[in-house]
């Protein structure tokens, strides 16, 4: 099987033009087939403020009403996505920027209302990602750059968590590629002490996850990230990495961040 890297870049890097430039330089230099996935929450929030659209959050999750959907679509699918594609083209990487609606690549289902109405937020299942379309783009020598906007197949755009998209894409592609999923953000990986950069946990096996949660090493937003990562491994993804964006070149030596394995 050919190797494929599915890489998700976090908002804190996107918000910093110098860090983003360096990350895209490193990403472009990675050998083999690759897919990039991004969100961009802070920039969407700032634009929303300038347009008079209030940001509503519940437990760290954005409520996407119709006005917010317009803002995140403009920012994710427009400003951020096309800026990243243009930078990758300048770095010799033939990127193509896409939403889930383009080529019907990612079809989502609007999240049902339970205790909280999240608005126009999309959830994914095992049939959401069109691996054939992504495969055809890769075979054409293109580098797909996917933003966090999907669609429901009935003309409605939806805001979907970029971590979830990255996991779903990696799982979908794992039947035809030797796939690695890489989450890049501002920390070196999973840390025993969040304030100590030397406390990196280099490898976490599936059976160790619960222990680390009970010890408080894995907490907060890292819990769903690792849960999704191990679910991806169960579904065929070879390896998942979580690490610092500016250390991405070290991934070839398997010396990047925290490696999650079965």
């Amino acid at each position: 099987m050919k190797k494929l890297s599915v890489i998700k870049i976090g908002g804190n890097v996107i918000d910093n033009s110098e860090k983003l430039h360096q990350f895209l330089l490193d990403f472009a230099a990675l050998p083999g087939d690759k897919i990039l996935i991004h969100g961009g929450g802070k920039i969407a929030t700032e634009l929303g403020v300038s347009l008079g659209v209030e940001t509503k959050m519940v437990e760290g999750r954005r409520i996407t009403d119709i006005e917010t959907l317009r803002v995140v679509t403009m920012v994710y699918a427009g400003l951020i996505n096309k800026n990243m594609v243009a930078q990758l083209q300048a770095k010799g990487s033939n990127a193509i920027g896409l939403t889930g609606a383009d080529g019907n690549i990612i079809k989502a289902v609007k999240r049902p209302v339970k205790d909280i109405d999240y608005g126009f937020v999309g959830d994914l299942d095992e049939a959401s990602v069109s691996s054939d379309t992504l495969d055809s783009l890769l075979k054409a020598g293109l580098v797909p750059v996917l933003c966090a906007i999907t669609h429901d197949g009935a003309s409605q755009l939806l805001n979907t968590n970029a971590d979830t998209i990255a996991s779903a894409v990696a799982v979908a592609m794992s039947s035809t590629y030797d796939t690695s999923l890489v989450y890049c953000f501002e920390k070196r990986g999973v840390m025993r002490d969040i304030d100590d950069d030397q406390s990196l946990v280099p490898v976490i096996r599936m059976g160790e996850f619960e222990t680390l949660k009970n010890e408080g090493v894995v907490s907060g937003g890292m819990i769903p990230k690792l849960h999704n990562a191990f679910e991806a491994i169960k579904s065929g993804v070879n390896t998942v990495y979580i690490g610092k964006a500016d250390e991405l070149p070290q991934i070839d030596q398997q010396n990047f961040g925290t490696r999650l394995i079965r």
Side-chain angles (χ1 to χ4, degrees):
M1 279 187 174
K2 289 185 69 177
K3 291 186 178 296
L4 171 68
S5 299
V6 177
I7 298 179
K8 188 263 177 175
I9 183 63
N12 286 341
V13 178
I14 293 171
D15 297 337
N16 185 307
S17 59
E18 290 184 9
K19 288 183 178 179
L20 179 60
H21 168 78
Q22 185 59 54
F23 166 79
L24 293 174
L25 199 63
D26 295 335
F27 174 83
L30 281 180
D33 291 322
K34 53 210 171 191
I35 297 171
L36 182 60
I37 289 120
H38 69 87
K42 184 178 177 182
I43 296 173
T45 299
E46 290 173 350
L47 180 61
V49 170
S50 70
L51 295 174
V53 178
E54 180 186 357
T55 298
K56 304 179 186 73
M57 306 288 283
V58 175
E59 296 177 351
R61 295 181 177 182
R62 186 186 299 269
I63 303 296
T64 306
D65 58 20
I66 190 62
E67 294 299 328
T68 301
L69 181 66
R70 290 170 179 164
V71 170
V72 297
T73 301
M74 285 189 288
V75 173
Y76 298 171
L79 178 64
I80 293 176
N81 188 268
K82 299 315 172 190
N83 174 56
M84 292 173 74
V85 168
Q87 288 197 54
L88 285 170
Q89 293 291 354
K91 294 166 176 56
S93 183
N94 194 11
I96 180 168
L98 302 161
T99 69
D102 296 298
N104 196 29
I105 286 175
I106 306 172
K107 191 156 71 172
V109 175
K110 186 175 180 292
R111 183 172 296 167
V113 177
K114 294 180 181 177
D115 296 333
I116 301 167
D117 183 357
Y118 284 99
F120 295 97
V121 168
D123 290 330
L124 307 182
D125 59 32
E126 64 277 359
S128 291
V129 177
S130 174
S131 57
D132 288 344
T133 304
L134 286 170
D135 185 45
S136 66
L137 293 172
L138 293 168
K139 286 178 177 173
L142 295 167
V143 177
V145 180
L146 300 170
C147 71
I149 300 296
T150 60
H151 77 131
D152 68 354
S155 79
Q156 182 61 59
L157 294 174
L158 296 167
N159 183 17
T160 299
N161 181 273
D163 282 354
T164 303
I165 290 176
S167 177
V169 167
V171 168
M173 301 305 289
S174 65
S175 60
T176 50
Y177 289 84
D178 179 0
T179 306
S180 293
L181 173 60
V182 184
Y183 290 107
C184 290
F185 68 147
E186 71 277 7
K187 292 290 184 181
R188 291 189 64 210
V190 179
M191 317 299 289
R192 288 198 171 274
D193 179 351
I194 197 68
D195 297 318
D196 180 4
D197 273 355
Q198 303 308 310
S199 66
L200 177 72
V201 181
V203 178
I204 300 176
R205 295 184 180 276
M206 199 175 294
E208 298 170 336
F209 182 32
E210 289 298 325
T211 301
L212 291 172
K213 276 199 301 184
N214 293 336
E215 291 175 352
V217 173
V218 176
S219 61
M222 191 61 76
I223 292 176
K225 193 184 291 285
L226 263 64
H227 175 76
N228 287 339
F230 282 120
E231 287 300 312
I233 290 172
K234 288 180 187 176
S235 299
V237 175
N238 183 30
T239 311
V240 180
Y241 297 89
I242 299 175
K244 197 170 186 178
D246 60 12
E247 295 180 353
L248 184 61
Q250 299 175 22
I251 202 164
D252 279 346
Q253 291 78 43
Q254 293 193 342
N255 189 32
F256 171 80
T258 300
R259 187 160 58 105
L260 309 181
I261 56 177
R262 187 180 286 275

